[in-house]
Amino acid sequence: METTEKAKLYVGGKEIELPVIVGTEGEKAIEMSQFRKQTGYVTLDRSLMNTAVCQSSITFVDGERGILRYRGYPVEELVKSNSFVDVAYLLVHGDLPTPEIKKDFSHLLNINSLMHEDMRHFFDRLPRGAHPMHILSTMINALAVFYPNVDQLSMDEDIKISTARLISTVRTMAAFAYKKSIGEPVVYPRIDLSYCANFLNMMFDSPVLPYRISEDAVRILNVLLILHADHEQNCSTTTVRTIGSAQVNLYATISAGISALSGPLHGGANQQVVEMLRTIEREGSIEKYFERVKNHNDPTKLMGFGHRVYKTFDPRAKIIKEECHKFLNKMNINDPLLEVAREVEKAALNDEYFVKRNLYPNVDFYSGIVYRALGIPENMFTVMFALARLPGWIAHWREMIGMETKIVRPRQIYVGKTIRHT
Ligand code: ACO
């Protein structure tokens, strides 16, 4: 909403007034879109550290106070009383589903849970040993080939179906990718199982050893997926909005989001946290690892720590830490890496280097330990993140195509050679 407040700026010998926009939670922004037209100047903001790229009504994050809300609901409340499917519906459609709507949405997810049979042959040609995130982005991009009507963006019904197909099929693809990697026959989705129970069953059921679905495992998987479901303008979501602004189809757009998420500074961090904890355990010294982290000539980071937005505890990390502890106790799992993680967290929170820079555990610090306890292999951790983030990406894509009419096209400051001749 535009306010009566104006920002005044003196530049190039003249004074200009810029409108001030305020969000529903009081965040203020100076509207810069006409700035170059008015002054001939552009703004330079490397890595978009201080630029709001859109107005959005999906997710609210307050990094100073450690707040995360989806469509107004605190995540702490959502994880207590809702399933991941409820939250996916909330993010994409704006409200929690009524029991009737939930029934319809679950039906749509169920009937779209099978992968196109021809895609399986395509799947089979991918090299064994490929990282599941790369397999996933390839397969999702390929969906547009198998379901070409996704290009008819204006047809709302198609978008509803494409959305359900994505949320449902990606889960099937993730489980198929895992089964392929271990050389076991694939397990098809079942209509009688909930979204998370179905996923665990497709991952772990086998003809020789039927999988016993535990309610605790289903519950904690729901919690993890809910906590990863959206996080406003992170790298992959901004990628989705940027690419989508060129009116690229939904599947290609989501595939690009998955590629962005695969980076170790983004979604790939959860896998790296476990590798780091193992290194610390092997070396037997947190100090030794911290020395590398603090040395600016060494690229080592304390993985699972620090965040561009949160300058206090990441609220997701707080919930996962507590849930992780409860789940491992209940299942009688003794994971030595949990002890290492606790010690690393304690040491970092009492170390001046991390305190001075406001570095706290982020969502990835404890999530890998829960995934390990669920039996999910490390190279699938980032795939789990992608599975969870899908509703957020889809919600942003839908919001973007509904309100932005212009293609995203930033400026740059050219610093290369001035004109020269051959
Ligand atoms: N370990 C050690 N030092 C760190 C870390 C870390 N994890 N994170 C930030 N710092 C230091 C930086 O070196 C910098 O120090 P300096 O001021 O002496 O140069 C200072 O803290 C500020 O950090 P920036 O790099 O400016 O922070 P930025 O906002 O750019 O980076 C990021 C955020 C990428 C998440 C970073 O904290 C990081 O690399 N963390 C580890 C990877 C990780 O856990 N990623 C997952 C993030 S959550 C997610 O994507 C779901």
Side-chain angles (χ1 to χ4, degrees):
M1 185 178 47
E2 193 168 332
T3 60
T4 49
E5 191 182 343
K6 301 278 176 227
K8 282 190 177 165
L9 206 96
Y10 293 88
V11 65
K14 66 175 179 183
E15 178 186 299
I16 59 148
E17 273 196 349
L18 295 158
V20 171
I21 309 287
V22 66
T24 49
E25 290 286 347
E27 292 150 301
K28 288 184 171 176
I30 300 170
E31 166 73 68
M32 299 302 287
S33 54
Q34 300 303 311
F35 188 59
R36 187 170 180 274
K37 234 185 225 163
Q38 289 172 304
T39 64
Y41 288 68
V42 294
T43 50
L44 174 62
D45 179 16
R46 291 187 184 88
S47 305
L48 301 180
M49 303 272 288
N50 195 54
T51 295
V53 291
C54 61
Q55 286 173 276
S56 174
S57 50
I58 301 169
T59 289
F60 173 65
V61 177
D62 183 328
E64 271 72 37
R65 292 187 291 155
I67 293 175
L68 172 60
R69 295 182 204 138
Y70 299 154
R71 303 280 190 186
Y73 295 105
V75 285
E76 292 79 0
E77 289 176 25
L78 289 170
V79 294
K80 278 200 187 116
S81 43
N82 294 95
S83 69
F84 174 64
V85 168
D86 295 337
V87 171
Y89 187 90
L90 169 72
L91 287 166
V92 176
H93 297 281
D95 284 304
L96 282 167
T98 59
E100 196 56 31
I101 292 179
K102 190 171 170 173
K103 215 169 121 199
D104 287 351
F105 188 53
S106 300
H107 175 69
L108 209 53
L109 289 176
N110 269 331
I111 58 169
N112 284 289
S113 61
L114 281 180
M115 203 163 68
H116 194 299
E117 202 51 27
D118 290 347
M119 282 191 91
R120 279 200 46 208
H121 306 304
F122 180 34
F123 222 131
D124 286 341
R125 297 286 169 273
L126 293 170
R128 221 170 252 269
H131 195 286
M133 274 301 264
H134 302 148
I135 298 182
L136 196 63
S137 60
T138 306
M139 296 302 289
I140 291 182
N141 208 359
L143 276 174
V145 179
F146 290 92
Y147 303 99
N149 62 348
V150 69
D151 278 327
Q152 292 166 278
L153 298 182
S154 57
M155 292 170 66
D156 201 46
E157 192 55 24
D158 265 0
I159 293 181
K160 240 165 124 188
I161 294 169
S162 315
T163 300
R165 181 178 296 133
L166 259 176
I167 294 178
S168 203
T169 322
V170 166
R171 175 194 54 178
T172 309
M173 283 178 184
F176 276 23
Y178 172 63
K179 285 293 192 192
K180 177 179 157 62
S181 73
I182 57 168
E184 276 190 12
V186 297
V187 176
Y188 281 92
R190 273 172 37 191
I191 203 146
D192 60 317
L193 294 179
S194 69
Y195 183 92
C196 286
N198 231 329
F199 175 73
L200 291 170
N201 191 58
M202 281 191 270
M203 286 284 290
F204 302 120
D205 190 44
S206 107
V208 287
L209 196 59
Y211 180 65
R212 293 247 302 280
I213 301 170
S214 128
E215 268 180 34
D216 293 296
V218 171
R219 201 190 80 77
I220 201 160
L221 183 57
N222 268 294
V223 170
L224 281 179
L225 298 188
I226 290 172
L227 292 176
H228 287 81
D230 191 41
H231 210 244
E232 51 120 296
Q233 297 312 307
N234 51 84
C235 179
S236 54
T237 304
T238 301
T239 300
V240 163
R241 288 188 83 118
T242 303
I243 293 186
S245 79
Q247 296 190 357
V248 172
N249 72 64
L250 176 62
Y251 301 140
T253 305
I254 298 296
S255 162
I258 289 178
S259 298
L261 187 73
S262 70
L265 294 190
H266 191 11
N270 55 11
Q271 184 178 344
Q272 303 229 347
V273 168
V274 170
E275 282 161 22
M276 173 189 80
L277 294 175
R278 209 177 280 123
T279 305
I280 294 174
E281 188 189 36
R282 198 179 49 244
E283 292 179 350
S285 162
I286 295 175
E287 257 325 295
K288 207 166 149 189
Y289 196 84
F290 279 9
E291 271 168 34
R292 295 205 289 278
V293 165
K294 293 175 192 174
N295 176 0
H296 271 108
N297 298 319
D298 188 319
T300 308
K301 294 251 184 223
L302 186 59
M303 299 311 287
F305 258 70
H307 198 275
R308 174 63 60 80
V309 179
Y310 292 120
K311 299 304 166 200
T312 179
F313 270 94
D314 179 334
R316 302 166 298 176
K318 265 193 202 166
I319 300 171
I320 297 178
K321 180 181 174 185
E322 205 186 306
E323 292 287 342
C324 173
H325 182 74
K326 276 199 289 196
F327 181 64
L328 266 66
N329 266 348
K330 181 103 192 264
M331 305 303 274
N332 259 329
I333 298 171
N334 179 19
D335 185 344
L337 291 191
L338 177 60
E339 201 41 51
V340 180
R342 283 209 197 100
E343 282 171 24
V344 169
E345 181 190 359
K346 195 166 148 211
L349 294 179
N350 287 299
D351 186 307
E352 201 200 337
Y353 174 93
F354 301 98
V355 174
K356 227 172 86 189
R357 291 169 177 76
N358 292 320
L359 300 172
Y360 292 88
N362 62 44
V363 66
D364 291 319
F365 195 67
Y366 284 101
S367 63
I369 295 174
V370 181
Y371 286 136
R372 268 163 68 88
L374 285 170
I376 291 167
E378 280 161 41
N379 67 353
M380 286 287 290
F381 287 2
T382 319
V383 169
M384 299 306 296
F385 197 158
L387 204 68
R389 187 51 62 85
L390 254 182
W393 288 329
I394 296 169
H396 281 273
W397 178 80
R398 285 185 67 139
E399 185 180 65
M400 185 276 308
I401 57 166
M403 63 201 264
E404 313 284 355
T405 48
K406 287 190 184 299
I407 187 167
V408 173
R409 196 337 183 157
R411 298 271 176 172
Q412 65 161 31
I413 303 294
Y414 176 70
V415 293
K417 298 250 186 291
T418 54
I419 189 164
R420 51 183 176 165
H421 300 284
T422 51

